[in-house]
């Protein structure tokens, strides 16, 4: 009974072996991640079009709930750039930023996303995420990174640009260039340059100055905090807000409030599809990070339980003043590198953020929006990977077309069109590939009993025999492909007397494929050609025996391809599997 409950509440498993060493490692990791999350949470709330405190709230209760229900020991859950961009894109269609309706819509979006994720996990449908190919996801994230960076340039320049697509953003920025605020530009450029330098240059510098590896690592992770402190002090001391520098302003002190999403059917109808898209993208990003980090420690995660954990986190965000969340790449890597042993590190991070929400929010009153924008730009440009275009072009032109199309549609028409096209392209790419199974004509390798592709190896062939090795299961999507292939290969008047279908790689034959095999059998029979099968797997053979094909086959079924070759080419003995 306990094991059954622990399966759905993983904290009951790892919590039983929790010790002082794990506690110490988790506390250190939590301290580092908390320092990193404070400016990041504020920045991603701004990106989502929400008040800065929403970012803090979205990083407290969701983290605690994931620690209870999630299976990854290192995943850090909270607001992330891509999900924040999807959020602002979805909410812009139903409410105006800064209104109460906008905040309620954000809660509803988190609620719908959480409900969808949890339900999908309970029904154990995590495998559906496999239909999103990695190249398409990489293309979408790359385009989203470019869009996010472009959307933050208005804060760097201190102008009032707008838009949800790259052409709109660039056009709006160009039309407002005359409104650039000088002090804001200085702060934004300086903060961006400093944060880029911190990523690459601070750690080596500190090591050259004699600092220990741990201190240098913590200082590097705290780079955004240094930028926040310096620019906030500059605005406060120099009264730069009077010169037009836009600041965060007053952030309410206190713990996350209890909030309720709206159950308005009109709002739910408007947000359910964006909620599904956010859930899918968030889950794919999260589970990819979780699996990568788990593999480094020879651990494993349960994708279906991850759905439940992320669902609980989003439901928690909906009832605590947040917005949709997922596992973040950068903070999870920081959590892992800092030595997090268990999900308790996330719970300790939440405690640190509670302290910040209660005591530190007055200190960010003079924090310039330009600094938060710089934090976002530096973070998201790390997601941009244009090399995926070169790699896919060299490896697979179909994958390249999928990536390029996803990037182009996302940049030109926005993230919702981009992610929807990514899903459609992933499924279409899968169907295209499965509709054209690899079928090779094979011959006997001299001196062996092995058969290989006649176009790749020097093999023995017999004019009267054609052997086709089918390298994929046969079902409704690709059944006609084999018919067309044989029709092109076996023409009237041919010298071929026998066709052997080598089924060593066929794991399933559905009813549509069975009908195609029957049609092939009748056509070859009319031509006076025998149709034979070889190396048919047991489960496939069991199904075929229940069909009309087994009795009507104009040929035989052989246990091995070599038996078929000997029997049909020389009239020798054979082993019949039928």
């Amino acid at each position: 009974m306990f094991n059954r409950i622990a399966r759905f509440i993983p904290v009951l498993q790892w919590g039983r072996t929790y010790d002082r060493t794990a506690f110490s490692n988790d506390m250190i990791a939590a301290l580092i991640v908390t320092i990193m999350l404070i400016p990041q949470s504020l920045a991603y709330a701004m990106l989502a079009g929400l008040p800065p405190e929403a970012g803090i709230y979205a990083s407290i209760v969701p983290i605690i709930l994931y620690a209870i229900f999630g299976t990854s020991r290192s995943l850090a859950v909270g607001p992330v750039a891509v999900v924040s961009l999807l959020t602002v894109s979805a909410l812009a269609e139903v409410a105006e930023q800064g209104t109460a309706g906008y905040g309620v819509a954000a809660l509803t979006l988190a609620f719908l996303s959480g409900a969808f994720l949890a339900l999908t996990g309970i029904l154990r449908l995590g495998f559906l995420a496999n239909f999103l190919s990695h190249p398409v996801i990489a293309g979408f994230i790359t385009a989203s990174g470019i869009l996010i960076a472009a959307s933050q340039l208005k804060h760097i320049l201190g102008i009032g640009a707008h838009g949800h697509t790259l052409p709109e953003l660039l056009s709006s920025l160009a039309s407002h260039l005359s409104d650039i605020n000088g002090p804001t530009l200085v702060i934004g450029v300086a903060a961006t340059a400093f944060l880029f330098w911190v990523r690459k240059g601070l750690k080596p510098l500190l090591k050259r100055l004699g600092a220990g590896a741990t201190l240098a690592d913590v200082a590097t992770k705290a780079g955004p905090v240094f930028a926040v402190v310096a620019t906030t002090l500059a605005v406060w001391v120099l009264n730069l807000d009077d010169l037009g520098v836009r600041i965060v302003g007053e952030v309410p002190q206190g713990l996350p409030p209890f909030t309720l999403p709206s159950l308005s059917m009109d709002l739910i109808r408007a947000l359910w599809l964006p909620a599904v898209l956010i859930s899918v993208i968030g889950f794919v990003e999260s589970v990819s990070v979780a699996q990568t980090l788990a593999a480094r420690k020879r651990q494993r995660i349960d994708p279906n339980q991850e759905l439940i954990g992320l669902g609980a986190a989003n439901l928690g965000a909906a009832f605590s003043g947040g917005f949709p969340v997922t596992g973040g790449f950068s903070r999870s890597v920081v959590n892992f590198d800092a030595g997090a042993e268990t999900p308790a590190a996330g719970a300790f991070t939440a405690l640190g953020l509670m302290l910040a929400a209660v005591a530190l929010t007055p200190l960010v009153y003079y924090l310039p929006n330009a600094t938060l924008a710089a934090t976002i730009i530096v973070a998201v440009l790390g997601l941009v990977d244009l090399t995926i275009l070169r790699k896919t072009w060299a490896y697979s032109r179909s994958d390249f077309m999928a990536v390029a199309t996803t990037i182009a549609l996302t940049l030109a028409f926005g993230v919702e069109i981009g992610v929807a096209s990514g899903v459609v392209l992933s499924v279409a790419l899968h169907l295209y590939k499965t509709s054209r199974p690899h079928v090779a004509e094979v011959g006997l390798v001299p001196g062996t009993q092995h058969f290989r592709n006649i176009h790749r190896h020097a093999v023995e062939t017999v004019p009267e025999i054609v052997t086709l090795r089918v390298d994929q299961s046969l079902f409704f999507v690709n059944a006609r492909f084999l018919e067309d292939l044989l029709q092109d290969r076996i023409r009237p008047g041919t010298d071929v007397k026998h066709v052997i279908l080598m089924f060593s790689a066929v794991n399933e034959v559905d009813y549509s494929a069975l009908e195609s095999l029957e049609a092939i059998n009748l056509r070859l029979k009319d031509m006076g050609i025998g149709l034979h099968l070889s190396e048919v797997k047991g489960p496939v053979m069991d199904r075929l025996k229940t069909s009309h094909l087994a009795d009507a086959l104009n040929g035989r079924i052989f246990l091995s391809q070599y038996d078929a070759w000997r029997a049909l080419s020389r009239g020798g003995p054979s082993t019949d599997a039928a």
Side-chain angles (χ1 to χ4, degrees):
M1 182 66 178
F2 176 83
N3 290 334
R4 183 175 297 179
I5 296 174
R7 176 183 171 187
F8 292 99
I9 309 178
V11 67
L12 298 177
Q13 295 177 347
W14 59 263
R16 298 170 68 185
T17 58
Y18 199 68
D19 55 23
R20 184 175 298 177
T21 301
F23 173 79
S24 176
N25 291 336
D26 286 344
M27 284 295 291
I28 293 172
L31 175 63
I32 296 173
V33 175
T34 300
I35 292 172
M36 173 186 178
L37 271 186
I38 292 173
Q40 219 179 59
S41 298
L42 299 173
Y44 290 148
M46 183 177 74
L47 176 59
L50 292 161
E53 64 269 17
I56 299 290
Y57 298 159
S59 301
I60 296 177
V61 175
I63 295 179
I64 295 173
L65 288 172
Y66 178 81
I68 296 172
F69 294 101
T71 60
S72 172
R73 302 294 181 95
S74 304
L75 192 70
V77 172
V80 300
V82 173
V83 170
S84 296
L85 180 63
L86 288 166
T87 297
V88 71
S89 177
L91 299 185
E93 301 297 324
V94 297
E96 185 178 348
Q97 286 189 23
T99 64
Y102 192 89
V104 171
L107 300 176
T108 305
L109 189 63
F111 175 79
L112 293 174
S113 179
F116 175 79
L117 286 165
L119 180 62
T120 305
I122 291 171
L123 296 177
R124 306 191 68 78
L125 298 177
F127 69 92
L128 293 176
N130 296 333
F131 285 98
L132 276 174
S133 70
H134 176 264
V136 166
I137 288 292
F140 171 72
I141 291 177
T142 291
S144 296
I146 295 172
L147 273 180
I148 292 169
S151 71
Q152 297 308 298
L153 289 177
K154 63 183 179 182
H155 298 296
I156 299 292
L157 302 174
I159 59 181
H162 64 277
H164 296 292
T165 68
L166 190 60
E168 289 175 355
L169 285 168
L170 295 180
S171 175
S172 184
L173 286 169
S175 64
H176 288 83
L177 286 179
S178 59
D179 300 329
I180 290 177
N181 181 270
T184 301
L185 179 62
V186 171
I187 291 173
V189 171
T192 304
F194 172 76
L195 291 174
F196 273 119
W197 174 78
V198 163
R199 282 197 162 192
K200 301 292 184 182
L202 182 59
K203 190 181 226 179
L205 175 63
L206 291 176
K207 287 185 175 180
R208 286 197 300 269
L209 294 175
T214 302
L215 176 61
D217 193 54
V218 172
T220 300
K221 301 296 187 298
V225 176
F226 298 149
V228 165
V229 171
T231 55
T232 300
L233 286 174
V235 173
W236 176 54
V237 172
L238 301 176
N239 295 319
L240 296 181
D241 54 318
D242 293 336
L243 299 178
V245 174
R246 296 176 184 174
I247 58 175
V248 168
E250 184 176 354
V251 178
Q253 286 180 269
L255 297 176
F258 176 74
T259 54
L260 287 173
S262 171
L263 296 180
S264 164
M265 290 308 300
D266 289 338
L267 187 60
I268 290 174
R269 278 194 292 268
L271 292 179
W272 76 266
L273 182 56
V276 170
L277 297 177
I278 286 173
S279 301
V280 172
I281 292 298
F283 172 66
V284 170
E285 178 181 355
S286 178
V287 80
S288 298
V289 176
Q291 287 176 333
T292 300
L293 297 180
R296 294 186 187 179
K297 290 188 176 182
R298 296 183 180 179
Q299 298 168 349
R300 64 178 297 274
I301 66 165
D302 180 351
N304 290 305
Q305 186 60 36
E306 283 298 291
L307 283 165
I308 295 174
L310 291 173
N314 277 278
L315 289 173
F319 291 100
S320 61
F323 57 98
V325 298
T326 192
F329 175 78
S330 59
R331 68 170 66 108
S332 297
V333 171
V334 170
N335 197 37
F336 178 89
D337 291 341
E341 292 282 343
T342 71
F348 297 147
T349 299
L351 293 176
L353 290 170
M354 285 183 190
L355 178 62
V358 170
L360 301 181
T361 51
L363 300 179
V364 299
Y365 181 90
Y366 288 101
L367 172 60
N369 290 344
T371 302
L372 295 179
T375 302
I376 293 173
I377 289 172
V378 174
V380 300
L381 287 183
L383 303 175
V384 175
D385 180 20
L386 293 175
T387 63
I388 191 69
L389 292 169
R390 174 177 53 80
K391 293 174 183 175
T392 52
W393 176 265
Y395 187 76
S396 169
R397 299 298 167 85
S398 60
D399 282 335
F400 168 80
M401 289 301 299
V403 172
T405 302
T406 300
I407 291 176
L409 290 177
T410 302
L411 294 177
F413 299 104
V415 290
E416 289 190 356
I417 296 295
V419 69
S421 67
V423 172
V424 172
L425 282 170
S426 293
V427 174
L429 189 61
H430 170 73
L431 293 177
Y432 173 75
K433 290 179 177 179
T434 55
S435 70
R436 303 178 61 83
H438 182 262
V439 179
E441 185 170 344
V442 298
L444 179 67
V445 177
T448 73
Q449 296 183 14
H450 300 292
F451 291 79
R452 292 293 184 268
N453 194 322
I454 64 173
H455 300 297
R456 293 178 178 270
H457 303 274
V459 294
E460 296 178 5
T461 59
V462 176
E464 293 83 9
I465 299 176
V466 170
T467 299
L468 299 179
R469 189 190 67 221
V470 184
D471 292 335
Q472 187 173 309
S473 293
L474 296 174
F475 58 111
F476 67 95
V477 174
N478 59 26
R480 289 298 301 271
F481 180 83
L482 188 60
E483 281 190 65
D484 295 339
L485 182 68
L486 273 169
Q487 188 164 347
D488 291 339
R489 177 64 179 84
I490 311 298
R491 298 285 186 178
T494 180
D495 294 331
V496 175
K497 300 300 180 185
H498 303 281
V499 171
I500 308 172
L501 297 181
M502 187 175 174
F503 270 24
S504 54
V506 176
N507 296 316
E508 183 180 1
V509 175
D510 76 355
Y511 193 77
S512 297
L514 176 65
E515 290 182 331
S516 288
L517 291 175
E518 291 175 343
I520 291 170
N521 181 57
L522 289 174
R523 178 174 178 272
L524 293 178
K525 184 177 182 179
D526 290 342
M527 297 173 68
I529 298 173
L531 174 64
H532 313 270
L533 305 179
S534 72
E535 303 192 10
V536 183
K537 293 184 176 181
V540 177
M541 192 68 248
D542 291 341
R543 298 285 291 276
L544 292 180
K545 284 180 178 179
T546 67
S547 71
H548 176 69
L549 179 66
D551 297 326
L553 190 67
N554 184 38
R556 299 156 66 183
I557 301 176
F558 295 91
L559 182 64
S560 74
Q561 176 59 29
Y562 187 68
D563 288 343
W565 174 269
R566 286 195 308 162
L568 300 177
S569 63
R570 300 175 184 174
S574 65
T575 302
D576 195 4

